[in-house]
Amino acid sequence: MTTGSGVGVLDKAAAILNALENGPTSLSQLVEITKISRPTVHRIAQSLVHHGLVGRDLHGRFELGGRLVELASAAGEDRLVSTAGPVLTKLRDLTGESTQVFRKQGEYRVCIASAERPVGLRDTIPVGTQLSMKAGSAAQVLLAWEDNERMIGGLQHARFTPTILAGVRRRGWAQSLGEREPGVASVSAPIRGQSGRVIAALSMSGPIERLTRQPGKIHHDSIVNAARELSDLLRIQSEG
């Protein structure tokens, strides 16, 4: 947990932005997460909306604003994207399958980095591809550690169940068989930010014929270790 800077309003604004790291958040949830009074949270969040640092989704929830993306682009390549490349390549070479990193953005998960299997039948997911949060092992990972309200909302019309998500949390990885696309299997594990919260999902995907109907049994160690390595690298960079 980071200490305050001594400038109260900036510390509160930073706490609100940190709380929005995992996606759209209601005012009540912001109050619960930040422990800041409701009037103060509302006032600061509205000011951040005015400056484009925070936005509102279709349900009126607060979310990180587009101005942050512009500032991140101006500062240089996204840290997660730049750090993920070598880890994804090493995982691809180890497993022989395509690998990806997905980040939740609104109602979708977006591929922000990938390393494709160079030859043969493969699951091709170009960077920038938007996929459903209702199917696939990466979607399971991105939803499994959400708070109860978000999890309930995310489970509506999903191809997976609360029992499956409980299993994901217990063992620390997820698998899917033909959830997103017939004939495709995948295994995913959580990438955690400096605070320990899940900020993205690292995945490996390919045809069920190669991965079998128990891809997690074969590959979960490799996926979990790669996700942990990437999480550690991000933490070291943040501390540095």
Side-chain angles (χ1 to χ4, degrees):
M1 183 176 179
T2 57
T3 57
S5 68
V7 183
V9 67
L10 292 181
D11 291 339
K12 291 181 175 67
I16 291 170
L17 292 172
N18 287 336
L20 298 177
E21 182 180 359
N22 286 334
T25 306
S26 69
L27 180 61
S28 297
Q29 289 171 329
L30 280 178
V31 172
E32 181 181 351
I33 295 169
T34 63
K35 310 302 181 186
I36 302 169
S37 70
R38 187 182 184 93
T40 301
V41 166
H42 185 263
R43 174 172 54 82
I44 295 175
Q46 286 296 101
S47 296
L48 292 170
V49 169
H50 175 77
H51 290 288
L53 300 174
V54 168
R56 304 292 287 268
D57 70 3
L58 294 176
H59 303 288
R61 297 174 297 181
F62 294 99
E63 61 183 359
L64 294 177
R67 180 61 179 149
L68 289 174
V69 177
E70 296 171 359
L71 292 170
S73 297
E77 191 176 11
D78 182 288
R79 181 179 294 165
L80 175 55
V81 173
S82 60
T83 306
V87 177
L88 287 176
T89 299
K90 183 166 68 173
L91 179 63
R92 179 200 63 192
D93 294 344
L94 178 65
T95 63
E97 302 295 345
S98 298
T99 57
Q100 310 89 26
V101 170
F102 291 96
R103 180 184 282 155
K104 186 176 184 296
Q105 291 185 4
E107 304 301 317
Y108 299 93
R109 55 184 170 102
V110 178
C111 178
I112 63 169
S114 68
E116 291 187 6
R117 174 186 170 98
V119 295
L121 186 62
R122 57 190 180 272
D123 184 31
T124 301
I125 304 175
V127 171
T129 301
Q130 287 188 332
L131 296 176
S132 171
M133 276 292 295
K134 304 298 183 181
S137 63
Q140 293 175 27
V141 165
L142 292 171
L143 190 59
W145 282 272
E146 290 276 31
D147 61 44
N148 192 57
E149 183 178 337
R150 286 179 182 163
M151 187 180 297
I152 291 172
L155 281 166
Q156 293 181 4
H157 310 298
R159 298 285 302 275
F160 41 79
T161 65
T163 301
I164 289 175
L165 293 189
V168 172
R169 291 193 303 274
R170 183 179 65 254
R171 64 178 180 257
W173 54 270
Q175 69 174 6
S176 67
L177 298 169
E179 275 188 12
R180 174 177 60 82
E181 185 177 339
V184 174
S186 67
V187 185
S188 299
I191 300 168
R192 298 181 182 274
Q194 186 177 14
S195 66
R197 289 180 294 180
V198 175
I199 60 171
L202 184 147
S203 299
M204 178 206 70
S205 60
I208 292 176
E209 286 81 357
R210 274 202 311 266
L211 270 66
T212 78
R213 301 197 67 82
Q214 292 185 310
K217 182 177 181 179
I218 301 170
H219 295 290
H220 75 270
D221 279 341
S222 299
I223 308 303
V224 169
N225 289 338
R228 185 177 296 123
E229 178 184 357
L230 186 47
S231 300
D232 290 344
L233 288 171
L234 291 172
R235 187 183 67 253
I236 291 169
Q237 290 179 9
S238 296
E239 292 172 350

